[in-house]
Amino acid sequence: MTDPAILLTLDSGVATITLNRPDKLNSFTETMHGELLAVLTQLASDETVRALLLTGAGRGFCAGQDLSDPIMRTGSDALDMGETIDRLYNRLIRALKALQVPVICAVNGVAAGAGANLALACDIVLAARSASFIQAFAKIGLVPDSGGTWFLPRLVGPARAMALSLLGEKISAEQAQQWGMIWKVLDDGQLMDEARGLAQHLARQPTKALGLIKQALNATWSHTLGEQLDLERDLQRSASKSPDYAEGVAAFMAKRPAEFTGK
Ligand code: T3D
């Protein structure tokens, strides 16, 4: 029996997904896509889940597409990468970005190609000091996908996004942090403890409000200031009607820690 390509654990409101093809640096096969999408779909409708942590097994985070997978039939008429991008990678990134709960990525090793962009699609990205990021696409005659041409320029600016994409150069986790591509670099031995701690912290916060914050910040890129002010008004109206807002104010006034339910 083959090992599952995706491992899922659920604990105290935190879902942890581990990409689990360590001997291939957790690169994507069609099977892994199917398992990951199924898990994300399951989590999206599970109200007990209040934070998601994504990481990889072994020494890599994810090396993008498994170049030996049959769907990569190079030179064959049957190959329609537009179709596989639509059906697999675009669905994955859309499903991940649609999650209302905070998504933390713990990049435990190399993140290449679609693996790098999968990490960038997450809300808070932590990386081990030994990890690295590579827009590997141009090296094999492809174009960055999985949202890379959308995330990268917004995170690091157009000059760095262009050079990283055209050169396919590996950058270190520290460089990625200095450029604002990721949130934090941690010593390798501390990465998972910190990532779990962060996920557990977020799982105790006002989940509904966090979802609305994500909605606001994700919408900002295509909005004028006027549109964003209107959106903030609408989201604040919604947040202010939540039980967690009532609890937050009550706890503040009573000088006690808030006990948010996520509602
Ligand atoms: O279908 C579609 O829609 C297409 C979508 C495409 C999206 C993409 O992601 S395209 C980009 C694909 N990814 C790459 O081009 C990256 C290829 N890998 C590498 O460049 C290097 O492996 C790394 C820089 C990531 C890591 O280098 P290193 O030296 O640390 O490790 P390694 O020795 O190269 O790899 C370790 C093993 O993993 C090795 O297997 P072996 O020899 O021990 O049996 C290697 O072949 C395997 N591996 C690594 N990446 C992939 C892979 N096997 C299949 N596909 C991979 N992407």
Side-chain angles (χ1 to χ4, degrees), residues 149-259:
T149 59
W150 196 89
F151 298 120
L152 256 193
R154 286 169 169 80
L155 290 167
V156 301
R160 286 168 176 157
M162 187 63 89
L164 286 174
S165 302
L166 293 180
L167 298 171
E169 274 184 15
K170 182 189 280 194
I171 64 162
S172 66
E174 284 184 3
Q175 183 73 84
Q177 183 191 0
Q178 280 161 21
W179 284 358
M181 192 194 288
I182 63 170
W183 171 236
K184 228 180 232 183
V185 178
L186 295 151
D187 288 339
D188 288 22
Q190 288 177 356
L191 175 72
M192 289 315 296
D193 280 351
E194 290 270 346
R196 280 190 207 100
L198 183 60
Q200 284 158 3
H201 166 77
L202 285 165
R204 293 190 296 267
Q205 298 308 301
T207 309
K208 180 183 164 85
L210 301 193
L212 299 176
I213 291 169
K214 284 178 55 158
Q215 206 178 311
L217 286 169
N218 286 328
T220 195
W221 302 108
S222 58
H223 277 179
T224 62
L225 174 60
E227 289 166 334
Q228 196 66 12
L229 289 171
D230 287 349
L231 178 64
E232 288 175 1
R233 173 203 59 211
D234 294 344
L235 297 179
Q236 200 70 298
R237 180 174 287 138
S238 175
S240 66
K241 294 182 194 305
S242 69
D244 275 346
Y245 168 64
E247 165 63 9
V249 175
F252 176 79
M253 297 309 290
K255 299 189 188 300
R256 62 166 173 82
E259 286 188 30

Side-chain angles (χ1 to χ4, degrees), residues 21-25 27-28 33 59 62-69 71-72 79-86 88-89 110-115 132 134 136-137 139-140 142-143 145-146 170:
R21 301 185 66 238
D23 51 333
K24 296 282 185 185
L25 301 181
S27 54
F28 273 101
H33 270 292
R59 74 173 177 90
C62 176
Q65 171 63 38
D66 184 328
L67 299 174
S68 65
D69 196 51
I71 61 166
M72 297 298 284
L79 178 67
D80 177 358
M81 224 178 255
E83 188 275 329
T84 52
I85 291 288
D86 240 354
L88 304 175
Y89 289 95
V110 64
S132 54
I134 315 174
F137 306 88
K139 284 185 180 284
I140 55 167
L142 289 182
V143 175
D145 59 25
S146 308
K170 182 189 280 194

